Amino acid sequence: MCDLADSPAVRRLTDWDASTLESLAAEYETPLYVIDLDRVAENYARFSTAFPDAEVMYAAKAHTGKAVLETILETGGDIECAAWGELQRSIDAGADPNTLQYTAVNPPDHDLDYATDLATDHPGLTITIGAIDTLERLADRGYDGRIAIRVNPGIGTGHHEKVATGADAKFGIPYERVPDVADRVRDGFDLVGLHAHAGSGVLTDGIEEHCRAIERVGAMARRVGDLEFVDVGGGFGVPYREDEKPLDLERTAEMVRDAVGEIDATLKLEPGRYVVADAGVILTEVNTIKEAPDTTVVGVDASLATMIRPAMFGSYHPMLNVSVPEREPHPVTVGGPVCTSADVFAHDRPIARPEREDVIAIGNAGSYGYELASQFHSQPRPGEVALEDGGHRIVRRRETLDDVTRVEQ
């Protein structure tokens, strides 16, 4: 376990060493992802310490880079996966397949084939279902192993309507149907748990509503009975804006335990964003300065293909001119080279007045950053550098155009 004495609950962008980031940009070119593996370990350890009696699984979808998964495993953590590729990447990183949990959401045939084949030799694998169809398809494949039921609690929480999964019919078995589905599972499978995930990016102000969803899951667990675990998912947020306070983790842990109530089962949680968000930044170089009537446009080489969260969710990410952080701030609009008005990271954001070839850091890019990167406009995806033990190493090389076109016939 990491020593948390010097590990703050939140890492602001200004806490990163600007000169180190600028030197990494010079050495590896931009746009560039940087992930601090020591911070990943610290965040996971802090979360686990707050829930000492629970099993804390890292939600791989937040960042599936091999170096991150290896770091989680080295801290003693387990991994929750939402697709077959995440299962395989977790195994490649050293995970015991018997410890993995696969949360199937409308799974393609290939995913179920992979999972059931994997369970043949590794019966400890748990498959979470969110539809009766999935149960029938598992039975058709001869699977009779460990099953968890995903409960739809009817309450969605989080930073955006697109992540409020707890009230979305796409996710989980409708609440009142769960007991009947549990009976059906027990007829042909090993029912080991209930699972739910209310939403993502929840901070202290939203934790009460989040716990209302967890309360319903705890009540259903007592109603169904005889379970190995109750998994209340993740969704625990980090402050993206400079004036937002970090999650009061100790208070949150107390509220979650109270919400679940007395259960004769292990409590499971699946933090993803909390573990990796503030451990990552994007470095991007300024290439264009344009004075427009209503704003100063700053063009950079990162784009929505590098990180789509601002375009998809309207997300705020802190920004810092690491080349000259002491220069007088100036409100600017920062956008990339993609041909759409959605390709903007910030409007009228006060930043130390950028000039061409300055390097700007975009903070809190460790979660759902590289995971959602694309090759739009035939842009090769960026490289990624990991910081660890006072040094750094390349953990993902920058793609080339050959990588972009390699699959074409």
Side-chain angles (χ1 to χ4, degrees), residues 266-316:
T266 298
L267 174 65
K268 280 190 175 185
L269 300 108
E270 304 170 2
R273 184 190 312 273
Y274 184 91
V275 175
V276 292
D278 73 1
V281 300
I282 296 169
L283 301 179
T284 182
E285 184 176 285
V286 175
N287 54 52
T288 302
I289 304 290
K290 180 170 63 175
E291 297 296 339
D294 298 323
T295 187
T296 298
V297 176
V298 175
V300 296
D301 57 7
S303 71
L304 61 77
T306 312
M307 182 178 67
I308 201 172
R309 294 192 74 253
M312 180 180 287
F313 301 118
S315 302
Y316 179 99

Side-chain angles (χ1 to χ4, degrees), residues 50-53 250 252-262 267:
F51 291 93
D53 300 322
E250 290 186 5
T252 296
E254 181 182 338
M255 292 176 68
V256 168
R257 285 190 288 265
D258 288 346
V260 174
E262 292 295 325
L267 174 65

Side-chain angles (χ1 to χ4, degrees), residues 3-327:
D3 181 4
L4 298 178
D6 298 320
S7 175
V10 61
R11 186 187 207 180
R12 308 290 184 181
L13 182 55
T14 51
D15 294 330
W16 291 75
D17 184 77
S19 61
T20 296
L21 295 179
E22 188 178 29
S23 67
L24 290 174
E27 182 174 355
Y28 295 102
E29 301 182 345
T30 58
L32 179 71
Y33 271 89
V34 180
I35 186 76
D36 186 337
L37 299 178
D38 294 331
R39 180 65 181 174
V40 170
E42 290 168 4
N43 287 341
Y44 179 86
R46 185 185 312 100
F47 194 95
S48 298
T49 299
F51 291 93
D53 300 322
E55 180 181 345
V56 177
M57 301 178 295
Y58 168 64
K61 61 182 176 290
H63 190 305
T64 50
K66 187 176 183 181
V68 168
L69 297 179
E70 288 174 339
T71 298
I72 296 296
L73 294 170
E74 287 166 4
T75 65
D78 291 326
I79 300 174
E80 182 269 340
C81 304
W84 81 273
E86 292 177 8
L87 288 169
Q88 182 62 64
R89 293 178 76 172
S90 297
I91 294 167
D92 290 345
D96 177 355
N98 287 296
T99 67
L100 296 176
Q101 187 166 312
Y102 166 46
T103 306
V105 180
N106 301 334
D109 285 342
H110 179 275
D111 283 47
L112 289 188
D113 291 342
Y114 181 91
T116 52
D117 287 348
L118 186 63
T120 300
D121 295 324
H122 305 282
L125 175 74
T126 301
I127 299 178
T128 303
I129 65 157
I132 287 294
D133 267 8
T134 306
L135 197 66
E136 293 172 348
R137 293 165 66 202
L138 288 169
D140 290 344
R141 288 164 170 76
Y143 181 79
D144 60 0
R146 294 167 58 86
I147 292 287
I149 298 172
R150 181 164 186 167
V151 180
N152 185 313
I155 298 172
T157 60
H159 68 87
H160 193 279
E161 62 181 11
K162 293 181 180 178
V163 300
T165 55
D168 189 335
K170 175 181 175 180
F171 299 95
I173 303 291
Y175 191 78
E176 289 302 328
R177 297 182 192 171
V178 172
D180 290 340
V181 174
D183 289 341
R184 186 164 175 176
V185 171
R186 283 173 168 146
D187 282 343
F189 304 83
D190 182 14
L191 178 62
V192 295
L194 295 185
H195 170 281
H197 179 75
S200 183
V202 177
L203 290 174
T204 301
D205 289 346
I207 201 65
E208 288 190 9
E209 186 72 358
H210 197 69
C211 284
R212 279 209 313 120
I214 292 173
E215 217 169 67
R216 300 200 79 199
V217 180
M220 183 57 71
R222 288 184 287 277
R223 187 170 164 185
V224 170
D226 191 21
L227 298 169
E228 179 183 309
F229 65 82
V230 176
D231 182 348
V232 297
F236 306 96
V238 298
Y240 282 74
R241 294 181 181 272
E242 291 85 348
D243 59 353
E244 285 180 324
K245 295 181 180 179
L247 189 69
D248 184 340
L249 198 53
E250 290 186 5
R251 174 61 179 149
T252 296
E254 181 182 338
M255 292 176 68
V256 168
R257 285 190 288 265
D258 288 346
V260 174
E262 292 295 325
I263 53 172
D264 186 19
T266 298
L267 174 65
K268 280 190 175 185
L269 300 108
E270 304 170 2
R273 184 190 312 273
Y274 184 91
V275 175
V276 292
D278 73 1
V281 300
I282 296 169
L283 301 179
T284 182
E285 184 176 285
V286 175
N287 54 52
T288 302
I289 304 290
K290 180 170 63 175
E291 297 296 339
D294 298 323
T295 187
T296 298
V297 176
V298 175
V300 296
D301 57 7
S303 71
L304 61 77
T306 312
M307 182 178 67
I308 201 172
R309 294 192 74 253
M312 180 180 287
F313 301 118
S315 302
Y316 179 99
H317 284 261
M319 306 183 78
L320 177 69
N321 187 336
V322 297
S323 296
V324 283
E326 71 284 351
R327 192 183 290 159

Side-chain angles (χ1 to χ4, degrees), residues 346-375:
H347 291 279
D348 299 322
R349 182 77 62 82
I351 302 172
R353 189 181 182 98
E355 296 178 357
R356 272 187 292 162
E357 298 185 357
D358 283 353
V359 174
I360 293 177
I362 303 173
N364 277 359
S367 63
Y368 307 104
Y370 206 105
E371 290 307 303
L372 295 173
S374 74
Q375 296 170 334

